Amino acid sequence: NAADVFASASVIFSRYLGLSFFIHPHSIVYDVGRYGPFDPAAVGAVLLFAGLGVLAVFAARREDRIHLFALALFFLALGPVSQVLAPLQNRMADRYLLLAVLGPMLSLSAVYLSILERISRLKLPMVSLLIAVVGFLGWERASTYASTEALFLEASIRAPGSPLGPYQLGTHYESLERYQEAELAYREAFLRSEKGTSDRRKAGNNWARMLFARGAIQEARAVYETLYQEGPPSGRILYNLAKVRARDGDHEGSKAALEELRRR
């Protein structure tokens, strides 16, 4: 309903504000739940923005309108990706901050310059500190993006409900022939995925393929049988199921899987 959508959007907006200042942890994928209007996270987010709005209005009455403009810019830029106007595949993503981050940065700049104007002797240490902090945070994110393993390991940890991180980690490990680690990553992606989804089929197929390759035939068959029962199985799943059934000695079952594949 509308109240839940508003509550969830409020929490997401508060996280975007945290991302702008590196308070909320960054990742290439985020776990975003759904919140009701009385959930503590939603109440806290609403109170946060209400307080910022009051401060911005108070500053505007003192001829300092930059903060009110910055807050409006933040909300307007995030409006199209708020999930309120239309549902999107990614409920939260760094790239949605492309324009909205200008709002918090305007307010921060205004406060920063105000301090320097009042206490000029702080100019050099504050500029040095700002350069050091921004430089370190930029280096930290660049270092993470420079390493495929670090990037998707971070996503696996920070978004424990998403299969994307471990799945991509599995493909990376497999490309490096680190097959044991790849198998564990695909297994984790399989367990995180919802039943009957393409994510689960892809992760399960790759996990079972790794099991099959190291001779764990019965374990591989168990995964393929699970995917088959959850349905709808893809052509690849049916083909691999036929192969693993045959390898396990179930030739009739293998023929049945191949016949179903032919019918499709």
Side-chain angles (χ1 to χ4, degrees):
N1 57 42
D4 291 345
V5 171
F6 176 78
S8 298
S10 299
V11 175
I12 294 174
F13 276 37
S14 68
R15 292 182 179 179
Y16 280 132
L17 188 62
L19 286 175
S20 301
F21 296 107
F22 280 83
I23 298 171
H24 191 280
H26 287 68
S27 177
I28 59 168
V29 59
Y30 296 94
D31 276 340
V32 181
R34 298 189 181 276
Y35 299 88
F38 300 108
D39 287 336
V43 173
V46 171
L47 290 176
L48 170 65
F49 287 115
L52 292 175
V54 170
L55 291 175
V57 170
F58 179 75
R61 294 184 64 181
R62 300 180 62 182
E63 303 300 324
D64 188 6
R65 299 185 179 88
I66 187 68
H67 302 290
L68 192 59
F69 173 79
L71 191 61
L73 175 61
F74 180 75
F75 279 104
L76 289 173
L78 287 177
V81 295
S82 64
Q83 311 295 324
V84 174
L85 301 178
L88 301 175
Q89 181 180 10
N90 296 310
R91 300 188 64 213
M92 181 177 177
D94 283 356
R95 62 184 180 274
Y96 294 163
L97 264 177
L98 180 62
L99 296 177
V101 71
L102 294 175
M105 292 302 100
L106 281 173
S107 280
L108 178 64
S109 299
V111 172
Y112 178 74
L113 291 174
S114 177
I115 293 174
L116 293 186
E117 288 175 1
R118 295 182 180 182
I119 313 176
S120 59
R121 67 177 180 275
L122 291 180
K123 185 173 183 178
L124 181 59
M126 286 192 68
V127 169
S128 301
L129 177 62
L130 184 62
I131 292 174
V133 170
V134 173
F136 172 77
L137 294 175
W139 170 82
E140 189 272 336
R141 291 311 298 158
S143 299
T144 302
Y145 270 90
S147 168
T148 301
E149 182 175 357
L151 185 65
F152 290 114
L153 184 59
E154 176 190 81
S156 301
I157 295 171
R158 293 183 176 177
S162 172
L164 176 62
Y167 181 82
Q168 295 295 341
L169 204 55
T171 61
H172 174 67
Y173 286 145
E174 189 174 0
S175 70
L176 298 177
E177 299 183 355
R178 293 162 61 178
Y179 298 122
Q180 185 176 5
E181 292 167 286
E183 181 183 320
L184 292 174
Y186 286 137
R187 176 182 180 274
E188 180 63 25
F190 174 79
L191 295 175
R192 291 187 184 190
S193 303
E194 295 183 11
K195 294 181 179 180
T197 61
S198 61
D199 286 339
R200 188 166 169 92
R201 287 192 293 272
K202 288 192 300 182
N205 183 67
N206 284 359
W207 177 29
R209 178 170 52 79
M210 303 293 291
L211 290 168
F212 186 85
R214 69 174 176 85
I217 306 303
Q218 293 184 341
E219 290 90 338
R221 178 175 179 176
V223 177
Y224 281 126
E225 295 286 2
T226 298
L227 291 173
Y228 178 78
Q229 293 297 326
E230 291 176 358
S234 64
R236 179 178 296 179
I237 297 296
L238 282 171
Y239 176 78
N240 288 336
L241 177 61
K243 185 167 66 173
V244 77
R245 281 176 175 176
R247 184 72 175 273
D248 198 31
D250 183 6
H251 299 291
E252 291 301 319
S254 177
K255 291 179 181 178
L258 287 174
E259 184 60 31
E260 183 175 346
L261 182 60
R262 291 191 189 97
R263 288 198 303 268
R264 294 190 179 190

